[in-house]
Amino acid sequence: MFAEHRAVPALRVFLVLLFAILVLFQVMSLPGQFAHMAHESPELAYLRWPMTAVSVFWVLCVQVVIVATWRLLTLVQNDRIFSEAALKWVDVIVWAIAAAWAGLVGVMTFLVFTWDDPGLPLLVLLLTTGVTALGLLMVVMRALLRQATALRTDMEAVI
């Protein structure tokens, strides 16, 4: 219990820091990077806006996960993590991961059919595999949370 009281505030600090860095990426770094790419490689300029949109979308998915994690931390602090409210926030995380995964699959499909160099498609395949594993892990964790919630409800009914 003592470690939880120290870990939750520390995690919140890093979640705020991560969220702020991601906002900087969304509004400054990613659009600037793809504008620079279009300037340096005019043959790829047609990809500037699609790449910007997809990248900003992926960052948005991560931001949604951060907000849902924040809400779950609040439930942990209030000793309400084993409740239906927690399941809703875990669902938000699962759906955000699924949306990011769908975007990765779309990008991978585009790259497989248009790119000559296998390096970038393999990198996107690696990311897709990692996001798939993360999404499936969250589905399993959701099932465990559902079971723990049911057990806690049963125990509270007995007591």
Side-chain angles (χ1 to χ4, degrees):
M1 195 70 140
F2 179 71
E4 170 191 316
H5 290 294
R6 295 176 76 194
V8 170
L11 181 54
R12 285 183 186 245
V13 168
F14 284 102
L15 288 175
V16 168
L17 182 62
L18 179 59
F19 195 91
I21 292 169
L22 289 172
V23 168
L24 286 174
F25 265 86
Q26 275 179 315
V27 298
M28 294 173 61
S29 182
L30 293 172
Q33 175 63 39
F34 294 122
H36 178 74
M37 179 211 66
H39 185 269
E40 293 294 316
S41 302
E43 70 277 5
L44 297 176
Y46 70 99
L47 292 174
R48 174 185 178 185
W49 293 112
M51 289 173 69
T52 301
V54 168
S55 298
V56 167
F57 173 72
W58 286 333
V59 171
L60 178 65
C61 289
V62 174
Q63 289 170 326
V64 168
V65 170
I66 290 170
V67 170
T69 302
W70 184 282
R71 296 296 301 154
L72 287 170
L73 287 173
T74 301
L75 293 172
V76 167
Q77 281 185 319
N78 296 334
D79 196 31
R80 292 189 50 234
I81 192 65
F82 299 113
S83 66
E84 289 296 321
L87 290 171
K88 291 178 200 172
W89 288 108
V90 173
D91 284 342
V92 168
I93 293 172
V94 169
W95 282 107
I97 292 171
W101 179 85
L104 275 168
V105 168
V107 168
M108 187 173 61
T109 303
F110 172 77
L111 290 175
V112 164
F113 290 113
T114 60
W115 222 258
D116 294 334
D117 179 25
L120 188 58
L122 283 174
L123 178 63
V124 174
L125 176 62
L126 175 67
L127 287 171
T128 305
T129 303
V131 170
T132 302
L134 180 64
L136 292 173
L137 176 64
M138 286 307 302
V139 169
V140 170
M141 296 301 287
R142 185 188 185 286
L144 290 173
L145 180 62
R146 180 171 289 290
Q147 288 176 356
T149 301
L151 288 174
R152 183 167 183 166
T153 303
D154 291 347
M155 289 298 292
E156 287 174 353
V158 169
I159 297 175

